[in-house]
């Protein structure tokens, strides 16, 4: 277990975003990327919805979740009123990994995994890609 301050955790999320090629970041529209301490009932219900692309899981812990309409499923009626949300969970990352290096690496993988869902990539393919 490796504990981080909220600020340190948020900084690592920012660093992960900065490592993503600009063309992908520019393609993100109406997406909020947030940190929460722990997933709650809403997050697990969202994960279990039939149209969910999945989330970032590690040994039963939910590390991250994409909640929204992937680009591949948007049509002319998509109004974008409510932003899609990518949530990165602090507690599960801290419990699941034993060093700062491991936590930082897994936050990066989680951010990329959930952004992959925004682009319509499912869990199976993301796992094949190493995320």
């Amino acid at each position: 277990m490796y504990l981080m301050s909220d600020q340190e955790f948020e900084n690592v999320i920012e660093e992960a975003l900065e490592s993503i090629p600009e063309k992908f970041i520019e393609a993100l529209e109406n997406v909020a990327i947030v940190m929460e301490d722990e997933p709650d009932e809403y997050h697990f219900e969202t994960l279990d919805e039939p149209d969910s692309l999945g989330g970032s899981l590690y040994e039963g812990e939910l590390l991250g979740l994409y909640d929204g309409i992937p680009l591949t499923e948007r049509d002319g009626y998509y109004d974008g009123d409510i932003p899609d949300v990518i949530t990165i969970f602090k507690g599960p990352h801290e419990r699941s990994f034993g060093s700062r290096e491991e936590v930082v690496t897994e936050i990066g993988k989680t951010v990329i995994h959930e952004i992959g869902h925004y682009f319509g990539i499912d869990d199976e393919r993301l796992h094949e890609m190493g995320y």
Side-chain angles (χ1 to χ4, degrees), residues 3-119:
L3 301 177
M4 290 183 160
S5 70
D6 288 351
Q7 186 61 55
E8 182 180 13
F9 195 86
E10 289 175 3
N11 289 345
V12 174
I13 292 171
E14 287 295 323
E15 290 169 12
L17 289 168
E18 290 170 4
S19 73
I20 296 171
E22 190 66 29
K23 66 182 178 180
F24 294 111
I25 296 298
E26 289 175 359
L28 293 175
E29 291 184 26
N30 203 30
V31 179
I33 300 174
V34 300
M35 177 201 85
E36 289 196 22
D37 286 329
E38 298 289 339
D40 60 23
E41 186 176 321
Y42 171 80
H43 298 110
F44 288 107
E45 287 173 358
T46 301
L47 184 63
D48 289 337
E49 289 178 1
D51 59 348
S52 172
L53 291 173
S56 297
L57 296 163
Y58 180 82
E59 295 184 359
E61 293 275 13
L62 182 58
L63 303 176
L65 182 68
Y66 169 72
D67 184 10
I69 301 171
L71 285 180
T72 55
E73 295 181 19
R74 295 179 183 181
D75 57 22
Y77 297 105
Y78 176 77
D79 59 14
D81 286 343
I82 299 173
D84 293 4
V85 178
I86 291 173
T87 307
I88 310 299
F89 299 105
K90 183 175 179 264
H93 276 90
E94 293 174 327
R95 284 191 297 279
S96 296
F97 307 103
S99 70
R100 184 180 194 287
E101 182 178 311
E102 289 176 314
V103 173
V104 168
T105 297
E106 294 303 322
I107 291 169
K109 287 182 179 180
T110 302
V111 168
I112 291 171
H113 184 104
E114 300 313 324
I115 288 174
H117 287 323
Y118 169 84
F119 288 107

